[in-house]
Amino acid sequence: MSFFASVEMAPGDPILGLTETFVADPSANKINLGVGIYVDEQGRVPMLASVREVEQALATAVRPRGYLPIDGLAAYNRLTRELLFGAESPLLAAGRVATAQTIGGSAALRVAADVLKQVAGAGAKIAISDPSWGNHHVIFRTAGFELLQYRYYDAASHGLDIAGMLEDLSRMEPGTVVLLHACCHNPTGVDPDAAQWQQIIDVLKERQLLPFVDMAYQGFDQGLDADATAIRLLAASGIEAFVVVNSYSKSFSLYGERVGALSMIGSNRDEAARLLSKIKQTIRTIYSSPSTHGAALVAGVLGSAELRDRWELELGGMRTRIHEMRAGLVERLAAHGAPDFGFIQSQAGMFSYSGLSKAQVHRLRDEFAIYALDSGRICVAALNRDNLDTVASAIAAVCR
């Protein structure tokens, strides 16, 4: 008998599985609203001009391909800290932030999970929003955490259940890790405002919970600083320890380069140094060190005042297009006699919890070759001026 005879088939990823089904669909007019990638008006992943300029310079100045340090490119880590916390942040001046370059945001999550599990031991618990990105559950469960949930999305109002969220957090045991989406909540598109963030942080502080902020979409809602409101409020709150992971996949359109980072905040410089040592030890056991190219691209843009300005304009263009697609979808749905979908315009980022049922989603796929997740989550960035009316007409049809 084979050594692997007892291996069971792992469940497929619902998002990647949907994409596979979409690719296999022979329909000439199929539309994929399940994808988690920003695409432009032509349906292409954009190549940012600011990034292209750095890449051309790197190609000209060819260097040996040695290993990066375990924690990655030093300039990348410094510039990441400044982007997340603000260049003048007292946390940075005090040396309280331990940052390491990681292989995308997913590796940042897993490395952080492993480090936190070592600290918390057998009783490690993490509270995750209901709903959340599915990989959050898998990563922390695999790392040995007990998974808890807190109320987040209110289906009736298509908005934030702030009362339920605060009540659930107020019942958590001290030391529980609380996973938070900094902005552009995936999958709902529903975010707290600044006042609600302060309420959340007050409960986290009072209950002695550990905030763990995942920011994959900085700049995709209101702008770089505004989208970091949760992080900036945490930094000013007096909470001595928290965690931030971030990704540049969306904001730099560098999905395949896997550029992310993990930042762990300690109470002082010495604690941050000890945290960095544990981060590096953990990275060494998983992938040893990160790759060079993507980090060099990001650092090249962020480290140049001219290129950073150009990048912010390009990022602003992507953000504006998403806002326009939200408004356009609401307008076209109304024109086709659909129920009120005005809430879509108040949501943030690439994704929207559309309110469509599983049955309606399946009708969209089977009758109109329009693909969305069974939860009703759609990617607003996949809309464009050419398919907007088609999508709105189909959604209106399945709502009748």
Side-chain angles (χ1 to χ4, degrees):
M1 181 177 291
S2 167
F3 183 84
F4 301 115
S6 63
V7 174
E8 298 179 356
M9 180 67 72
D13 183 278
I15 299 176
L16 299 181
L18 183 71
T19 299
E20 291 171 359
T21 306
F22 170 80
V23 171
D25 188 336
S27 173
N29 299 311
K30 59 187 178 180
I31 299 170
N32 187 1
L33 301 182
V35 65
I37 295 177
Y38 177 90
V39 292
D40 61 18
E41 274 292 308
Q42 290 71 44
R44 298 175 301 202
V45 177
M47 177 64 186
L48 304 188
S50 53
V51 174
R52 186 185 303 114
E53 183 163 330
V54 175
E55 190 154 45
Q56 289 171 342
L58 291 173
T60 301
V62 179
R63 293 182 175 88
R65 303 299 174 92
Y67 290 120
L68 284 183
I70 296 173
D71 55 342
L73 194 64
Y76 173 94
N77 291 334
R78 174 180 58 81
L79 292 162
T80 293
R81 284 192 293 270
E82 293 175 358
L83 188 67
L84 295 177
F85 300 96
E88 305 303 320
S89 170
L91 292 184
L92 304 190
R96 290 176 52 194
V97 185
T99 301
Q101 175 192 338
T102 58
I103 303 177
S106 295
L109 286 162
R110 181 54 198 260
V111 171
D114 284 353
V115 172
L116 292 175
K117 182 64 170 63
Q118 293 174 51
V119 175
K125 297 179 180 179
I126 185 165
I128 301 175
S129 66
D130 180 19
S132 190
W133 181 47
N135 214 22
H136 282 151
H137 304 83
V138 179
I139 288 170
F140 284 94
R141 185 185 300 113
T142 304
F145 277 75
E146 177 185 348
L147 303 189
L148 309 174
Q149 282 191 325
Y150 59 85
R151 281 172 283 177
Y152 188 84
Y153 179 71
D154 178 27
S157 67
H158 305 286
L160 179 66
D161 182 2
I162 184 63
M165 180 180 182
L166 294 174
E167 182 180 358
D168 288 350
L169 293 179
S170 68
R171 294 175 178 172
M172 299 288 175
E173 295 179 7
T176 301
V177 181
V178 178
L179 184 64
L180 304 158
H181 298 233
C183 61
C184 307
H185 185 274
N186 180 7
T188 68
V190 173
D191 290 341
D193 60 27
Q196 290 168 332
W197 271 122
Q198 191 59 62
Q199 289 179 284
I200 293 164
I201 290 169
D202 289 344
V203 173
L204 296 172
K205 185 175 182 180
E206 179 184 351
R207 293 297 301 166
Q208 298 178 49
L209 307 174
L210 181 71
F212 189 123
V213 184
D214 186 357
M215 183 152 68
Y217 306 97
Q218 187 178 8
F220 264 64
D221 180 25
Q222 300 175 57
L224 291 169
D225 289 327
D227 289 353
T229 292
I231 295 171
R232 309 293 171 82
L233 289 175
L234 275 169
S237 69
I239 293 176
E240 292 191 333
F242 61 99
V243 180
V244 179
V245 300
N246 72 293
S247 166
Y248 293 110
S249 294
K250 279 77 178 178
S251 59
F252 275 79
S253 195
L254 287 173
Y255 300 90
E257 295 295 345
R258 310 305 297 134
V259 275
L262 164 62
S263 296
M264 302 188 82
I265 295 81
S267 60
N268 53 51
R269 188 180 299 271
D270 176 69
E271 192 167 285
R274 286 184 276 121
L275 284 169
L276 184 59
S277 74
K278 298 301 289 185
I279 292 169
K280 291 166 68 174
Q281 181 184 56
T282 303
I283 287 173
R284 178 64 169 156
T285 68
I286 302 174
Y287 55 86
S288 195
S289 66
S291 57
T292 304
H293 189 66
L297 294 175
V298 171
V301 172
L302 294 180
S304 161
E306 178 187 348
L307 291 179
R308 171 157 175 164
D309 287 346
R310 194 183 307 174
W311 168 65
E312 289 194 31
L313 286 174
E314 293 180 286
L315 179 59
M318 292 191 282
R319 178 171 64 246
T320 298
R321 200 184 82 78
I322 290 175
H323 291 322
E324 290 174 348
M325 290 302 102
R326 285 188 178 279
L329 181 59
V330 171
E331 177 187 349
R332 297 311 304 153
L333 284 166
H336 284 285
D340 182 14
F341 278 88
F343 59 88
I344 288 178
Q345 202 163 346
S346 64
Q347 294 170 345
M350 285 174 44
F351 303 117
S352 169
Y353 245 30
S354 65
L356 296 173
S357 68
K358 182 177 179 178
Q360 289 169 327
V361 167
H362 285 195
R363 281 192 62 196
L364 280 179
R365 183 177 63 203
D366 298 340
E367 298 177 25
F368 301 96
I370 295 174
Y371 288 75
L373 300 188
D374 285 354
S375 64
R377 190 204 83 172
I378 62 173
C379 179
V380 182
L383 298 169
N384 56 57
R385 291 180 179 84
D386 289 336
N387 67 23
L388 195 58
D389 197 65
T390 299
V391 170
S393 175
I395 291 176
V398 303
C399 287
R400 293 191 187 106

